Amino acid sequence: MMKRILMTLAGVAMMQGCPPPEPPTTALCKDRAEGDLIISELMIDPEGTDTGSEWLELFNTLTTPLELKGLTVYVRDTDGSGAKSHVIRAGTAPARGYFVLGDIRSGPNPSWVNYSYGDGLGSMGNARGVVGVRCGATTLAELSYTSAAKAERSRMLNGAQEPSAALAAVEENYCDTPVGHVYFAQNSGTPGLRNPQCMAEASVGTCVEN
């Protein structure tokens, strides 16, 4: 029945000299472009089990709110395997603001998660992976990471500068959230808030003074 109605509407439009109605996805993505959103932070190796504790933070680079309903968030390995996706059912990222999507399997969302994608994305890779958001065939945001995250610390875009698509395009502009920015249990991160500045850390083969 629905198919007949759509065909009838299209036929009427053509008879009146008008183009047929656009498919919903096409209309939704008409004014969307790469860089409208960026991946500003993600928790890929939380305390304990990953299930129910992972999340990713989107930043709307526009000066107007951005409707997220109908957009697709996806993850995969850097070699293309293990691809999974989820179509966002509701939510709006505020102008120049943050929106957090979480792996919440049951119960209410915690205060730092705006929307739950349930088990739709499975577990993100701890050592490498690709995370992104697209509208139809248009990729709005994508982060490919190739270095392992430190346990119980989110991977974040350096907060020393205003978030931008140019900064988010370079993996070296991301770091592990400095210890002390705890949002729950032993987990450090700033979901829904501006990121702090990346701090140099001593590790094997390096020397950090002051």
Side-chain angles (χ1 to χ4, degrees):
M1 178 63 71
M2 180 59 70
K3 183 176 181 180
R4 292 178 181 174
I5 293 173
L6 290 174
M7 291 177 65
T8 301
L9 289 174
V12 171
M14 292 180 67
M15 290 176 63
Q16 295 178 344
C18 301
E22 290 182 302
T25 301
T26 302
L28 173 70
C29 305
K30 188 175 182 179
D31 298 320
R32 298 280 66 85
E34 182 179 1
D36 285 354
L37 291 170
I38 61 174
I39 309 293
S40 50
E41 189 176 0
L42 65 166
M43 174 56 84
I44 53 182
D45 191 11
E47 177 185 14
T49 179
D50 290 352
T51 301
S53 299
E54 292 185 336
W55 49 265
L56 63 104
E57 177 189 82
L58 304 178
F59 179 78
N60 174 12
T61 64
L62 305 176
T63 56
T64 55
L66 197 158
E67 176 63 48
L68 301 177
K69 181 180 179 180
L71 303 188
T72 299
V73 58
Y74 60 88
V75 300
R76 63 174 183 271
D77 197 329
T78 52
D79 64 8
S81 64
K84 291 188 177 182
S85 63
H86 170 85
V87 177
I88 301 174
R89 295 187 296 272
T92 301
R96 301 293 299 172
Y98 302 92
F99 191 91
V100 180
L101 301 93
D103 173 24
I104 311 303
R105 307 295 178 93
S106 63
N109 293 340
S111 60
W112 58 88
V113 171
N114 301 112
Y115 173 87
S116 169
Y117 52 78
D119 61 357
L121 302 182
S123 294
M124 292 183 277
N126 289 347
R128 66 182 193 183
V130 178
V131 183
V133 180
R134 63 174 180 263
C135 191
T138 302
T139 299
L140 305 184
E142 186 173 276
L143 170 63
S144 179
Y145 58 95
T146 56
S147 58
K150 290 182 171 63
E152 303 172 1
R153 294 167 63 182
S154 68
R155 179 66 53 80
M156 67 170 199
L157 184 64
N158 193 345
Q161 301 179 58
E162 282 290 315
S164 69
L167 287 174
V170 180
E171 185 184 358
E172 287 71 23
N173 289 329
Y174 288 80
C175 66
D176 296 301
T177 300
V179 174
H181 293 271
V182 176
Y183 67 92
F184 178 72
Q186 301 298 314
N187 295 309
S188 289
T190 57
L193 302 173
R194 177 164 179 164
N195 298 339
Q197 182 175 351
C198 287
M199 303 296 291
E201 296 184 44
S203 60
V204 176
T206 68
C207 179
V208 176
E209 185 176 357
N210 295 330

